[in-house]
Structure formats: structure tokens, C-alpha cells
Amino acid sequence: MPKITYISSDGAEHVVDAENGLSAMEAAVRNNVPGIDGDCGGMAACGTCHVYVDRAWLGKTGAAREGVERDMLSVTDGAADNSRLACQIALTEELDGLVLRLPSGQH
Amino acid sequence: MATPAADSERARTIPLDEIDVSAPDLYVRDAAHPYFARLRREDPVHYCARSAYGPYWSVTRFNDIVAIDTNHKVFSSDASVGSFVLDDATLNPVNGGIFLPNFLGMDPPRHDIHRMAVSPIVAPQNLARLESTIRKRTQHVLDGLPVGEAFNWVDRVSIELTTLMLATLLDFPLEERRRLTRWSDVVTASPGTGVIDTWEQREKELRECEACFRDLWNQRSRQPPRPDLISMLAHSPAMQNLSAEEFLGTVVLLVVGGNDTTRNSMSGGVLAQHLYPGEYAKARADRSLVPNMVSEIVRWQTPILHMRRTALEDVEFRGKRIRKGDKVAMWYISGNRDEEVIERPEEFIVDRPRARHHLSFGFGIHRCLGNRLAELQLRILWEEVLERFSRVEVVGEPVRVPSNLIRGFVDLPVRLHA
């Protein structure tokens, strides 16, 4: 069970023990982490699970993928080179300790 | 207010290839549901060879709609190859219409540049700034309503609140705000549906709209930047070389997008709670349900019935051969009633699990830009309505908009109970 830390824009930390195989969006929604809605259910199609990957972890998560994820991030305010859609990050033991920061006011 | 029996029967017996869900009269009677139910079951990607808008495909299942909506490389929105609505005359210079190009009718990369020039107006920081204004206005409008006598909710509440909001976003003269309502109605109208009589009249009124906004633009571009939409556009580097057509096209997109949609969700929510009084009682007893109720209203109403794409190449989709140039309609109204994805989809359930998982805002890069603002306005409206009234009773037959694009109301007679 990888431990994931979500940090809100106001600095509040939410630590979640995620089930292997979930996405970082699903783990957040199931544990009521505020600021991640996941309206489309994990298709990279709504942009409501935008996160900034802590730079120390970027090598392991990888950058946003070509295709729908990149396309959505290119129409998302405040997107940066460490932006990902959390629904496209599959959680594995390798990501135990992952730190994700949430943009300000993502609902 | 249920589907007319004649339509239920006809939907059951008509040969599949004769089903045409684009006929606006279906939406006047709110009678399209049984036709869509049959298509979802028997022919979910359906070809209609003859309609008032020419041949077109209908995509009717939730997940198929998401697949089309997110595949903008094959299913284009670009005005150069078609339109994002079934009726070409709405936005293109054909069959009496005029050219109204805007970023919803663009593919990347231009789409992204234009969209990002507009998006700060609905950024979270800006919404936080607007919340107290919205609440004060909502309270004012509701406090001015008569209790115990019949009135038209559409005009007194839905139009009034959404037009005030739009005027604020545009910093449009408040006393002239009903011109915005009129233009919004004119854009999506065609002759013979009660809004305009001729295409010439439509063009004339839209040219007046253009002239009015041109003046505002010129005025704002001479002043320092301010946080209103016109000023933002006037000072945006990406928007400096807009043609007259693109200017009008962008303005009408913002006017319709910020007006018709939320307006009809404000009315649809009233009809929903009237038909499901137990749900209203639930929300009254537990106000924390309001955000979920708002998502359910937006799903249940589905104020945009369809969005259309145009195939850029021959493609096989769910066993059907869609050809380059074919029109493909994604029927959000049908996807939002897809029983394989949404349980008891025809019912209005304020505490529905995963209520945000609906198609009304679309998915992919063209997803509704103002959805957070719409939700904010609806949340405040229902918080204030629940606070004031034990019941909002619909006291007459609703009059619906004759359109296959906008699912809306002209008249919704109601009586408030203290």
C-alpha cells in the first residue's frame, strides 16, 4: 500500500494509504481529499484532478503523456512542466512516499 | 409532463432507420427519451440518412460519447470542415446563416490560444470575488417574488439572474442587460420558431450586437486592463487580430455559453424538485446536499442536448463505418440517461452517488469553460430557495424551447409556498 501525500494550496497535508493499482485520482476521491473531483471517472477528459508532482518524484511518475493528458493540460490554467492529471498516475509500491501538490482553488 | 403516449408507442414500433432525433418538435414535447432508449439498446451508433440537417450519425451511449469527445484529432470541431452543432446555419454562412467563428469551433493549436485568453474570467480566484455579489442578487430577486400567486419562473428568476451575471462578467450596462438575453436567443434561433421571422432579421440583430460590443471593446482597449471579459479580450495579445467575424463569433459564444445553459438549469431544477418532492424535502433537511443536488440538476436537465463533430477521415467506430466529412452528433441528453452507466437515470436523486459523473459539460478540450461558475450560481440559488420556501409548485404545463441544441424553457408557471 503506497503512502501518498496530497498537499493543498493552503499547505494542508492529506496522507493516504492507497491500494495498489488505483490511480492517484481514485485514491484521493475515495479518501475525500478536497480539491480533486475526477468528474470523468479517470479518462483524462475533464481536467479536475490536476496535480503538481513534487520534482523529486518526477523521474518515477514521468511527465504528462502525449495525447489526451497533454491536450487537457494545455487548456488548464496554471499548468507547468511538472503537471499531471492524477487519474493518469497508476499507484505502485515504487511510488510509496509520492508527494503531489494541488493547484489553488481546484474546487 | 411525462412523455406523450403516442411517442412511446411510435418509438417502440418505428423502423430503426426512420428514427430522426434531430427534429426540434420532439424537444417541444420532451418526447425524445423513448427514441434514445431504443437507440441505446438496439443501434447505439445510429445513422439517419434524411433530416432537415442532412445525413448524420447519432452517438447515444455515455462511454461512446466520451470516446468521441476526447478524440478531437479524428472528430473535429473546426468551422473549416463543418460546425459543432448539427444545423450548419447556426454558425456558418449557409442556408441563411452568417459566419460566427469562435474557439469552440476550432481545433488545436488555435483553439487552445483563444480559450486560454478567455479562461481567467472563470478562474477560481475570480469566482471567489464574485460569490458575494451573486448571493446578494439572488437574495434580492427571490425576496421580490410573490408568494401564493402564479408567475413565470423563467422570466423572473432564471433569465434575470443569469443575465445579471453575464452583464457583470462583461461589464455590460446593467440597465440594457435584456439585450444580452435577446441576442442569446437570436443566435440559436431559426425562422418560424417564435424568436425571429426571417434570416435577414437574425443577421440585422446580430450586427447590432456586433456594433454594441465593438464600441465596448474600443472603449476598454483605450483604458487600463480591468477584470471584465471585454477588457481581457481587448488587452489579450492573442485577440488583437480578430476579424470582424471572429469578434462577433467569440462574443456570441460567450453570451450563449454564459446565459442559455445556466438559465435552463435554473428552470429545470424547479421542474425536477416539483416532480420529486421527496428529494426537495431531503435537501431542505440537509443543506450539505446542495452541491450534489446541483450536479444532479445539471445532469437531469442536460441544457445542451448535443454537440456535433465532423469526421476528418474514414473511421471504424463500434462496428460502423463513419466516412470522412460525416456529421457526428453526441447526444448528451441520451448519454445522461444511459442505464448502463447511471442507475435509475430518469429519476432526480439529490444524494445520487458520483453525481458529478455526467456529460452535460462535455469532456475533452472543449469541456465547458464556465462549469464552476454555473455550479456556483446554482448552488447559491438553491441554498437561498431552500431557506425561503417550503415548496416551489409548478402550476401549469411548461413551454419548452423548439430546439435540438438547447434544452430549455420559455415558460414555467410556478407558485411559491412560504
Side-chain angles (χ1 to χ4, degrees):
Chain A
M1 297 242 291
K3 204 180 271 295
I4 313 296
T5 303
Y6 300 86
I7 305 177
S8 302
S9 56
D10 63 5
E13 290 194 9
H14 305 265
V15 182
V16 166
D17 285 315
E19 229 173 279
N20 265 325
L22 289 187
S23 72
M25 179 278 283
E26 290 166 317
V29 169
R30 288 191 190 185
N31 291 281
N32 299 313
V33 175
I36 293 195
D37 284 338
D39 291 2
C40 74
M43 311 287 292
C46 66
T48 62
C49 66
H50 174 205
V51 293
Y52 301 105
V53 176
D54 185 276
R55 291 194 183 274
W57 287 90
L58 209 49
K60 286 204 169 134
T61 61
R65 289 192 206 116
E66 265 320 315
V68 193
E69 186 183 5
R70 281 269 178 94
D71 294 345
M72 284 310 291
L73 286 168
S74 68
V75 293
T76 300
D77 282 309
D81 60 341
N82 60 333
S83 288
R84 291 292 311 264
L85 293 180
C87 69
Q88 301 302 300
I89 302 175
L91 298 176
T92 57
E93 287 303 336
E94 207 194 341
L95 292 177
D96 185 28
L98 175 64
V99 176
L100 301 172
R101 290 189 173 74
L102 305 183
S104 69
Q106 180 167 260
H107 217 239
Chain B
M1 286 166 218
T3 302
D7 285 292
S8 300
E9 176 59 17
R10 188 164 174 270
R12 206 171 55 75
T13 53
I14 184 176
L16 272 178
D17 61 358
E18 286 176 28
I19 293 181
D20 174 12
V21 285
S22 74
D25 63 286
L26 282 178
Y27 302 96
V28 176
R29 302 194 302 277
D30 197 31
H33 300 297
Y35 297 94
F36 281 123
R38 177 143 176 239
L39 290 181
R40 285 194 303 272
R41 262 193 325 268
E42 297 179 25
D43 195 23
V45 179
H46 173 258
Y47 189 68
C48 174
R50 277 175 308 278
S51 84
Y53 317 97
Y56 67 94
W57 294 92
S58 285
V59 182
T60 60
R61 284 187 180 165
F62 192 108
N63 290 324
D64 289 350
I65 290 169
V66 177
I68 300 282
D69 226 354
T70 53
N71 190 359
H72 55 265
K73 289 193 176 70
V74 173
F75 298 100
S76 168
S77 298
D78 208 86
S80 65
V81 295
S83 182
F84 57 86
V85 296
L86 264 180
D87 188 350
D88 287 330
T90 306
L91 297 160
N92 289 345
V94 294
N95 310 328
I98 60 172
F99 194 29
L100 296 169
N102 59 59
F103 63 86
L104 194 48
M106 290 178 196
D107 290 339
R110 262 180 94 225
H111 160 267
D112 300 3
I113 297 164
H114 280 234
R115 179 177 165 121
M116 292 307 274
V118 174
S119 67
I121 194 75
V122 286
Q125 302 79 346
N126 215 31
L127 297 191
R129 197 176 60 87
L130 291 169
E131 179 160 356
S132 67
T133 306
I134 297 172
R135 189 171 300 277
K136 267 185 245 141
R137 280 182 183 161
T138 306
Q139 291 169 336
H140 180 75
V141 165
L142 294 180
D143 288 340
L145 298 173
V147 171
E149 63 182 78
F151 66 91
N152 180 5
W153 180 271
V154 176
D155 185 63
R156 294 282 299 267
V157 181
S158 309
I159 290 180
E160 185 62 5
L161 286 176
T162 49
T163 307
L164 278 166
M165 185 75 258
L166 185 61
T168 301
L169 292 181
L170 297 164
D171 198 8
F172 190 87
L174 275 188
E175 62 283 4
E176 291 180 38
R177 64 184 179 273
R178 288 281 171 137
R179 298 179 80 190
L180 297 171
T181 317
R182 172 70 193 166
W183 289 327
S184 180
D185 290 340
V186 167
V187 174
T188 54
S190 52
T193 50
V195 177
I196 50 161
D197 296 321
T198 62
W199 288 112
E200 291 71 32
Q201 181 195 356
R202 177 174 180 268
E203 173 161 4
K204 181 173 163 286
E205 292 200 37
L206 291 178
R207 294 291 171 218
E208 286 165 13
C209 170
E210 181 182 352
C212 172
F213 276 96
R214 184 65 69 186
D215 286 346
L216 290 174
W217 172 293
N218 290 338
Q219 185 196 95
R220 306 276 155 87
S221 67
R222 286 192 300 268
Q223 295 164 348
R226 299 192 312 212
D228 72 76
L229 254 173
I230 302 299
S231 178
M232 278 170 43
L233 292 177
H235 289 276
S236 158
M239 295 288 177
Q240 292 312 301
N241 298 315
L242 285 192
S243 66
E245 287 168 329
E246 286 176 321
F247 176 72
L248 179 59
T250 304
V251 165
V252 302
L253 174 65
L254 300 172
V255 168
V256 174
N259 199 348
D260 267 352
T261 50
T262 312
R263 179 207 299 181
N264 290 313
S265 288
M266 285 182 171
S267 304
V270 166
L271 182 58
Q273 61 78 41
H274 171 82
L275 295 173
Y276 296 87
E279 298 301 304
Y280 186 74
K282 237 192 253 175
R284 246 193 140 205
D286 179 2
R287 308 289 165 87
S288 73
L289 290 174
V290 172
N292 207 71
M293 174 186 181
V294 164
S295 291
E296 177 68 347
I297 288 171
V298 174
R299 180 195 71 88
W300 193 85
Q301 175 58 25
T302 315
I304 298 291
L305 288 158
H306 83 270
M307 282 279 120
R308 167 222 162 163
R309 301 292 183 253
T310 308
L312 290 180
E313 55 191 67
D314 290 2
V315 60
E316 182 101 357
F317 186 75
R318 305 291 178 259
K320 300 286 176 124
R321 188 94 185 131
I322 297 176
R323 294 190 185 279
K324 180 178 177 180
D326 282 358
K327 295 179 175 184
V328 180
M330 304 174 286
W331 292 100
Y332 295 149
I333 183 68
S334 175
N336 275 340
R337 297 283 186 283
D338 184 344
E339 37 292 271
E340 300 215 334
V341 175
I342 297 163
E343 253 178 75
R344 293 187 286 154
E346 68 291 349
E347 289 177 43
F348 174 70
I349 303 171
V350 296
D351 52 355
R352 179 183 287 286
R354 301 189 64 223
R356 301 192 59 84
H357 189 55
H358 63 69
L359 290 167
S360 299
F361 297 132
F363 281 124
I365 59 167
H366 295 291
R367 183 172 164 84
C368 175
L369 183 61
N371 59 339
R372 300 298 190 191
L373 176 60
E375 289 170 343
L376 176 64
Q377 293 178 82
L378 289 163
R379 173 169 65 76
I380 291 172
L381 173 64
W382 286 100
E383 283 168 356
E384 298 296 330
V385 168
L386 288 161
E387 188 64 34
R388 283 168 175 71
F389 310 115
S390 63
R391 191 175 168 209
V392 183
E393 183 189 6
V394 175
V395 292
E397 199 63 30
V399 180
R400 291 173 180 270
V401 177
S403 167
N404 61 30
L405 176 63
I406 306 288
R407 185 163 186 242
F409 301 90
V410 177
D411 192 356
L412 187 66
V414 301
R415 183 163 47 221
L416 299 172
H417 297 245

XYZ file of all heavy atoms in Angstrom, chain A residues 25 29 35 37-48 66-68 70-79 104-107, chain B residues 62-63 66-67 70 72-73 108 111-112 115-116 119-120 122-125 354 356-358 361-367 371-372 375:
480
model
N -5.871 9.778 -8.672
C -7.178 10.442 -8.586
C -8.130 9.584 -7.747
O -8.772 10.077 -6.818
C -7.744 10.669 -9.995
C -9.120 11.326 -10.054
S -10.514 10.190 -9.805
C -10.590 9.386 -11.408
N -10.101 10.574 -4.308
C -11.559 10.657 -4.224
C -12.090 9.717 -3.138
O -12.919 10.095 -2.313
C -12.201 10.334 -5.596
C -13.710 10.152 -5.472
C -11.887 11.447 -6.602
N -10.353 18.998 -3.336
C -9.640 19.613 -4.452
C -9.423 18.681 -5.615
O -8.841 19.063 -6.621
N -11.790 16.258 -8.009
C -13.154 15.788 -8.283
C -13.178 14.539 -9.159
O -13.940 13.625 -8.908
C -13.968 16.899 -8.955
C -14.392 17.970 -7.962
O -14.444 17.666 -6.753
O -14.649 19.101 -8.393
N -12.391 14.541 -10.210
C -12.387 13.371 -11.090
C -13.716 13.153 -11.791
O -14.214 12.037 -11.868
N -14.291 14.218 -12.330
C -15.637 14.136 -12.910
C -15.760 13.067 -13.995
O -16.811 12.443 -14.132
C -16.038 15.486 -13.540
C -16.254 16.563 -12.494
O -16.052 16.289 -11.300
O -16.624 17.683 -12.882
N -14.712 12.877 -14.794
C -14.866 11.986 -15.950
C -14.596 10.531 -15.583
O -14.739 9.641 -16.422
C -13.967 12.422 -17.106
S -12.215 12.077 -16.867
N -14.206 10.299 -14.339
C -14.027 8.923 -13.894
C -12.688 8.316 -14.285
O -12.516 7.098 -14.206
N -11.748 9.147 -14.744
C -10.406 8.624 -14.989
C -10.007 8.500 -16.446
O -9.109 7.734 -16.785
N -10.662 9.273 -17.320
C -10.391 9.198 -18.755
C -9.477 10.334 -19.239
O -9.342 10.528 -20.448
C -11.703 9.279 -19.540
C -12.795 8.349 -19.067
S -12.440 6.660 -19.504
C -12.618 6.790 -21.283
N -8.913 11.105 -18.309
C -8.112 12.287 -18.676
C -8.933 13.272 -19.502
O -8.417 13.949 -20.372
C -6.849 11.890 -19.440
N -10.227 13.341 -19.230
C -11.109 14.083 -20.129
C -11.755 15.314 -19.501
O -12.496 16.017 -20.174
C -12.211 13.162 -20.650
N -11.482 15.577 -18.199
C -12.165 16.724 -17.595
C -11.213 17.707 -16.933
O -11.572 18.850 -16.690
C -13.203 16.269 -16.573
S -12.504 15.451 -15.117
N -10.007 17.284 -16.628
C -9.027 18.205 -16.032
C -9.329 18.590 -14.592
O -8.798 19.585 -14.102
N -10.152 17.825 -13.878
C -10.469 18.184 -12.495
C -9.603 17.436 -11.476
O -9.926 17.406 -10.295
C -11.956 17.952 -12.160
O -12.246 16.552 -12.304
C -12.876 18.744 -13.067
N 1.890 12.251 -23.989
C 1.343 12.731 -25.267
C -0.085 12.232 -25.410
O -0.395 11.121 -25.003
C 2.136 12.111 -26.426
C 3.287 12.898 -27.030
C 3.079 14.374 -27.201
O 2.001 14.777 -27.677
O 3.996 15.128 -26.849
N -0.914 13.042 -26.019
C -2.290 12.596 -26.244
C -3.251 13.372 -25.352
O -2.990 14.536 -25.030
N -4.325 12.711 -24.931
C -5.387 13.423 -24.218
C -4.866 14.143 -22.980
O -5.249 15.277 -22.698
C -6.514 12.459 -23.782
C -7.725 13.239 -23.336
C -6.890 11.526 -24.904
N -1.853 15.469 -22.212
C -1.195 16.718 -22.608
C -2.198 17.725 -23.156
O -2.126 18.914 -22.861
C -0.170 16.455 -23.726
C 1.124 15.884 -23.275
C 2.149 16.988 -22.952
N 3.335 16.308 -22.481
C 4.349 15.986 -23.287
N 4.347 16.386 -24.541
N 5.356 15.313 -22.814
N -3.126 17.226 -23.990
C -4.110 18.124 -24.604
C -4.935 18.831 -23.528
O -5.186 20.032 -23.609
C -5.054 17.341 -25.533
C -4.328 16.761 -26.747
O -3.192 17.199 -27.020
O -4.896 15.872 -27.404
N -5.356 18.068 -22.515
C -6.160 18.672 -21.454
C -5.339 19.675 -20.647
O -5.823 20.739 -20.293
C -6.715 17.594 -20.510
C -7.873 16.798 -21.061
S -9.224 17.778 -21.748
C -9.910 18.548 -20.285
N -4.081 19.319 -20.366
C -3.254 20.234 -19.571
C -2.965 21.526 -20.344
O -2.795 22.583 -19.747
C -1.947 19.546 -19.154
C -2.139 18.514 -18.033
C -0.882 17.665 -17.854
C -2.508 19.194 -16.710
N -2.970 21.434 -21.664
C -2.702 22.661 -22.429
C -3.894 23.621 -22.403
O -3.776 24.762 -22.824
C -2.272 22.339 -23.861
O -3.345 21.789 -24.565
N -5.040 23.181 -21.911
C -6.149 24.126 -21.709
C -6.495 24.249 -20.220
O -7.611 24.596 -19.857
C -7.413 23.745 -22.527
C -7.144 23.905 -24.009
C -7.887 22.327 -22.223
N -5.519 23.952 -19.348
C -5.728 24.060 -17.899
C -4.912 25.232 -17.365
O -3.707 25.313 -17.620
C -5.285 22.759 -17.208
O -6.070 21.677 -17.726
C -5.476 22.838 -15.704
N -5.592 26.129 -16.632
C -4.876 27.278 -16.072
C -3.791 26.830 -15.111
O -3.995 25.927 -14.311
C -5.859 28.187 -15.315
C -6.674 29.031 -16.271
O -6.065 29.680 -17.137
O -7.909 29.022 -16.154
N -2.643 27.481 -15.185
C -1.579 27.237 -14.219
C -0.824 25.944 -14.438
O -0.038 25.524 -13.577
N -1.014 25.278 -15.571
C -0.285 24.033 -15.810
C 1.209 24.337 -15.995
O 1.565 25.347 -16.587
C -0.845 23.319 -17.033
N -4.311 25.949 -6.614
C -5.216 26.711 -5.749
C -6.617 26.667 -6.348
O -6.797 26.807 -7.551
C -4.738 28.150 -5.613
O -4.887 28.824 -6.831
N -7.579 26.437 -5.470
C -8.979 26.562 -5.862
C -9.459 25.582 -6.904
O -10.368 25.887 -7.665
N -8.892 24.401 -6.973
C -9.473 23.405 -7.886
C -10.662 22.767 -7.189
O -10.637 21.628 -6.787
C -8.426 22.341 -8.263
C -8.980 21.289 -9.220
C -7.895 20.444 -9.844
O -7.522 20.690 -10.961
N -7.366 19.475 -9.108
N -11.671 23.574 -7.029
C -12.898 23.194 -6.366
C -12.674 22.707 -4.950
O -12.139 21.641 -4.753
C -13.620 22.102 -7.157
C -15.105 22.282 -7.100
N -15.937 21.347 -6.601
C -15.870 23.310 -7.472
C -17.181 21.781 -6.681
N -17.159 22.968 -7.205
N -23.201 6.683 -23.110
C -22.314 7.535 -22.314
C -20.855 7.364 -22.722
O -20.174 8.325 -23.098
C -22.492 7.187 -20.826
C -21.866 8.169 -19.871
C -22.657 9.024 -19.115
C -20.482 8.228 -19.690
C -22.095 9.925 -18.213
C -19.911 9.137 -18.793
C -20.724 9.974 -18.057
N -20.363 6.128 -22.654
C -18.924 5.927 -22.864
C -18.508 6.160 -24.317
O -17.379 6.584 -24.578
C -18.510 4.543 -22.390
C -18.565 4.439 -20.873
O -18.263 5.396 -20.161
N -18.986 3.290 -20.355
N -18.011 9.886 -24.607
C -16.705 10.305 -24.063
C -15.595 9.989 -25.080
O -14.692 10.802 -25.308
C -16.410 9.610 -22.710
C -15.022 9.998 -22.202
C -17.467 9.969 -21.673
N -15.699 8.836 -25.720
C -14.658 8.438 -26.688
C -14.597 9.411 -27.868
O -13.512 9.776 -28.331
C -14.930 7.017 -27.189
N -13.286 13.029 -26.737
C -11.857 13.148 -26.426
C -10.976 12.835 -27.642
O -9.765 12.928 -27.549
C -11.458 12.199 -25.268
O -11.895 10.882 -25.579
C -12.081 12.640 -23.964
N -10.395 14.478 -30.572
C -10.577 15.646 -31.442
C -9.692 15.593 -32.683
O -9.859 16.385 -33.592
C -10.336 16.937 -30.667
C -9.002 16.978 -29.986
N -8.841 16.616 -28.675
C -7.786 17.312 -30.441
C -7.564 16.721 -28.350
N -6.897 17.138 -29.395
N -8.762 14.658 -32.706
C -7.912 14.558 -33.894
C -8.675 13.919 -35.052
O -8.381 14.179 -36.215
C -6.640 13.761 -33.584
C -5.706 14.551 -32.680
C -4.326 13.937 -32.600
C -3.385 14.799 -31.768
N -3.737 14.783 -30.332
N -7.122 22.424 -31.989
C -5.805 22.904 -31.594
C -4.943 23.093 -32.847
O -5.187 22.404 -33.841
C -5.249 21.768 -30.728
C -6.436 20.972 -30.316
C -7.436 21.125 -31.424
N -7.349 26.764 -31.115
C -8.343 26.645 -30.055
C -7.736 26.966 -28.691
O -8.299 27.731 -27.912
C -8.924 25.226 -30.037
C -9.579 24.874 -28.737
N -8.897 24.237 -27.719
C -10.823 25.124 -28.270
C -9.727 24.097 -26.698
N -10.885 24.620 -27.001
N -6.590 26.362 -28.422
C -6.013 26.483 -27.078
C -5.644 27.932 -26.769
O -5.858 28.416 -25.654
C -4.761 25.591 -26.959
C -5.083 24.114 -27.193
O -6.249 23.803 -27.495
O -4.170 23.281 -27.088
N -8.926 29.945 -26.234
C -9.600 29.543 -24.997
C -8.854 30.083 -23.773
O -9.467 30.579 -22.830
C -9.704 28.019 -24.928
C -10.386 27.530 -23.652
C -10.537 26.019 -23.639
N -10.863 25.569 -22.297
C -11.968 24.887 -21.987
N -12.823 24.559 -22.903
N -12.195 24.524 -20.735
N -7.532 29.998 -23.810
C -6.753 30.430 -22.647
C -6.808 31.951 -22.464
O -6.552 32.454 -21.379
C -5.311 29.945 -22.760
C -5.157 28.429 -22.656
S -5.937 27.698 -21.195
C -4.623 27.892 -19.992
N -10.181 32.148 -20.423
C -10.405 31.343 -19.218
C -10.141 32.043 -17.878
O -10.769 31.681 -16.888
C -9.628 30.027 -19.295
O -8.250 30.256 -19.241
N -9.256 33.073 -17.793
C -9.056 33.687 -16.462
C -10.327 34.263 -15.851
O -10.441 34.344 -14.632
C -8.040 34.806 -16.737
C -7.308 34.375 -17.964
C -8.312 33.627 -18.793
N -13.107 32.945 -15.453
C -13.775 31.956 -14.589
C -12.768 31.187 -13.735
O -13.063 30.101 -13.242
C -14.653 30.985 -15.415
C -15.912 31.680 -15.886
C -13.881 30.415 -16.602
N -11.578 31.759 -13.557
C -10.584 31.141 -12.668
C -11.093 31.200 -11.230
O -11.865 32.093 -10.878
C -9.255 31.853 -12.806
N -10.666 30.250 -10.395
C -11.172 30.178 -9.020
C -11.061 31.497 -8.242
O -11.991 31.858 -7.521
C -10.274 29.108 -8.383
C -9.801 28.266 -9.521
C -9.731 29.166 -10.717
N -9.969 32.211 -8.423
C -9.803 33.472 -7.689
C -10.898 34.462 -8.067
O -11.423 35.194 -7.225
C -8.434 34.126 -8.002
C -7.220 33.278 -7.705
C -6.946 32.224 -8.798
O -7.781 31.935 -9.647
N -5.753 31.628 -8.752
N -21.776 9.781 -6.914
C -20.999 10.196 -8.094
C -21.825 11.046 -9.077
O -21.780 10.858 -10.286
C -20.428 8.978 -8.837
C -19.507 8.120 -7.961
C -18.791 7.057 -8.757
N -17.897 7.640 -9.742
C -17.774 7.199 -10.997
N -18.507 6.189 -11.424
N -16.937 7.777 -11.819
N -21.372 13.923 -10.030
C -20.581 14.760 -10.942
C -20.243 14.035 -12.248
O -19.800 14.662 -13.207
C -19.279 15.208 -10.278
C -19.454 16.012 -8.994
C -18.135 16.652 -8.560
N -17.636 17.524 -9.590
C -18.016 18.797 -9.769
N -18.866 19.347 -8.942
N -17.529 19.509 -10.756
N -20.425 12.739 -12.262
C -20.087 11.945 -13.440
C -21.243 12.024 -14.449
O -22.040 11.107 -14.581
C -19.835 10.499 -13.007
C -19.261 9.625 -14.088
N -18.122 9.922 -14.776
C -19.688 8.451 -14.587
C -17.866 8.964 -15.654
N -18.813 8.061 -15.562
N -21.329 13.165 -15.129
C -22.361 13.346 -16.151
C -21.743 14.032 -17.356
O -20.603 14.506 -17.300
C -23.532 14.156 -15.586
C -23.165 15.554 -15.181
N -22.817 16.529 -16.093
C -23.048 16.145 -13.961
C -22.541 17.651 -15.457
N -22.652 17.445 -14.164
N -21.409 18.919 -19.301
C -20.367 19.898 -19.615
C -19.477 19.433 -20.766
O -18.549 20.130 -21.159
C -19.478 20.162 -18.394
C -20.200 20.773 -17.220
C -20.042 20.254 -15.938
C -21.020 21.875 -17.391
C -20.697 20.824 -14.849
C -21.682 22.453 -16.299
C -21.517 21.920 -15.027
N -19.749 18.259 -21.298
C -18.871 17.686 -22.310
C -17.564 17.235 -21.668
O -17.318 17.474 -20.479
N -16.767 16.511 -22.451
C -15.446 16.089 -21.965
C -14.408 16.405 -23.028
O -14.745 16.619 -24.194
C -15.449 14.591 -21.648
C -16.097 14.274 -20.329
C -17.161 13.386 -20.246
C -15.648 14.865 -19.164
C -17.763 13.087 -19.027
C -16.241 14.579 -17.945
C -17.295 13.689 -17.875
N -13.141 16.417 -22.618
C -12.084 16.725 -23.570
C -11.793 18.223 -23.618
O -12.261 18.989 -22.773
N -11.067 18.628 -24.642
C -10.548 20.003 -24.661
C -11.631 21.066 -24.822
O -11.383 22.231 -24.533
C -9.495 20.198 -25.777
C -10.100 19.880 -27.147
C -8.255 19.328 -25.522
C -9.232 20.350 -28.302
N -12.819 20.675 -25.256
C -13.888 21.665 -25.415
C -14.839 21.673 -24.221
O -15.892 22.308 -24.267
C -14.677 21.402 -26.699
C -13.859 21.592 -27.938
N -13.430 22.829 -28.351
C -13.354 20.710 -28.835
C -12.722 22.707 -29.470
N -12.658 21.419 -29.777
N -14.461 20.947 -23.159
C -15.316 20.903 -21.968
C -15.697 22.325 -21.541
O -14.903 23.254 -21.620
C -14.557 20.218 -20.832
C -15.361 20.039 -19.560
C -14.549 19.180 -18.595
N -15.037 19.236 -17.224
C -16.032 18.482 -16.762
N -16.643 17.647 -17.564
N -16.407 18.568 -15.506
N -18.108 25.935 -16.216
C -18.874 24.997 -15.380
C -18.807 25.327 -13.896
O -19.788 25.197 -13.180
C -18.453 23.538 -15.647
C -16.997 23.266 -15.387
O -16.180 24.190 -15.382
N -16.653 22.015 -15.173
N -17.651 25.812 -13.430
C -17.553 26.149 -11.991
C -18.429 27.351 -11.644
O -19.019 27.410 -10.569
C -16.096 26.457 -11.616
C -15.123 25.328 -11.857
C -15.470 24.124 -11.036
N -14.409 23.114 -11.082
C -14.553 21.885 -10.615
N -15.691 21.491 -10.086
N -13.555 21.028 -10.676
N -22.015 26.136 -11.565
C -22.296 25.408 -10.318
C -22.424 26.367 -9.134
O -23.269 26.182 -8.255
C -21.199 24.372 -10.057
C -21.260 23.202 -11.036
C -20.047 22.275 -10.955
O -19.004 22.671 -10.381
O -20.127 21.155 -11.470
